[in-house]
Amino acid sequence: MISKTLLIVAHAPSANTKRLAEAAYQGATHPDIDINVVLQTPEQTQPEDVLAADALLIGTTENLAYMAGLTKDFFDRCYYPVLEKKQGMPFALYIRAGHDGTGTKRAMQTIITGLRWSWIQDALILQGAWQDEFADQVEELAMTLAAGIEAGIY
């Protein structure tokens, strides 16, 4: 059987957001799930990486009520090269938001609608002061997405 690939694109400028990226990778690479998992930063990720993926998980910070600039740069570089080729791709998002995260969520909804990717669930917004349970929530999200693509649910 051909293994599927989950691409995790995580903007992680701080120790806590690095913990979130690591939690996403850990959840997606759970021993009971047999898929390829690639973890990259937005600046590392190229259109070819998205084209090679069967699903995508993006992690971004909320900056000035919008996604991180490097996350936006990822979309600026990858949007048109993947637009017609990855429609329907399963997608999930987590936002590390100091305030409310709604501006980032709205912007991402617009982009993902244009790409015609398929949300597996509503955006996970990790709001307010840091809580250790944020990492658990991201791990669960990544595990759900990974298990779903392995099983062919998404």
Side-chain angles (χ1 to χ4, degrees):
M1 184 172 161
I2 297 174
S3 186
K4 297 191 177 183
T5 299
L6 170 59
L7 175 60
I8 301 170
V9 178
H11 178 59
S14 68
N16 286 336
T17 53
K18 282 183 177 78
R19 284 179 61 193
L20 297 176
E22 291 164 0
Y25 186 80
Q26 185 165 338
T29 59
H30 186 279
D32 292 337
I33 302 171
D34 184 24
I35 65 166
N36 297 318
V37 179
V38 177
L39 172 60
Q40 296 182 164
T41 64
E43 59 267 41
Q44 291 173 313
T45 307
Q46 299 301 316
E48 297 77 25
D49 300 312
V50 179
L51 291 170
D54 296 291
L56 182 62
L57 172 61
I58 292 184
T60 189
T61 55
E62 174 190 61
N63 296 356
L64 304 172
Y66 196 70
M67 71 186 80
L70 290 172
T71 304
K72 175 67 168 67
D73 175 71
F74 157 76
F75 283 114
D76 288 345
R77 289 179 291 103
C78 295
Y79 189 94
Y80 288 107
V82 306
L83 177 62
E84 296 299 323
K85 298 175 182 160
K86 296 307 288 188
Q87 293 180 12
M89 181 166 67
F91 173 80
L93 168 69
Y94 67 87
I95 302 166
R96 176 62 188 110
H99 295 289
D100 69 0
T102 57
T104 303
K105 179 181 171 182
R106 268 195 309 275
M108 292 294 276
Q109 287 171 324
T110 299
I111 292 168
I112 301 313
T113 298
L115 286 165
R116 297 181 194 100
W117 291 351
S118 298
W119 292 84
I120 68 153
Q121 71 172 50
D122 196 22
L124 173 61
I125 300 176
L126 310 166
Q127 184 179 27
W130 173 262
Q131 300 171 38
D132 288 334
E133 63 210 35
F134 289 165
D136 296 335
Q137 293 171 333
V138 169
E139 183 176 350
E140 183 177 327
L141 173 62
M143 189 182 310
T144 299
L145 179 55
I149 64 168
E150 180 193 35
I153 296 168
Y154 308 123

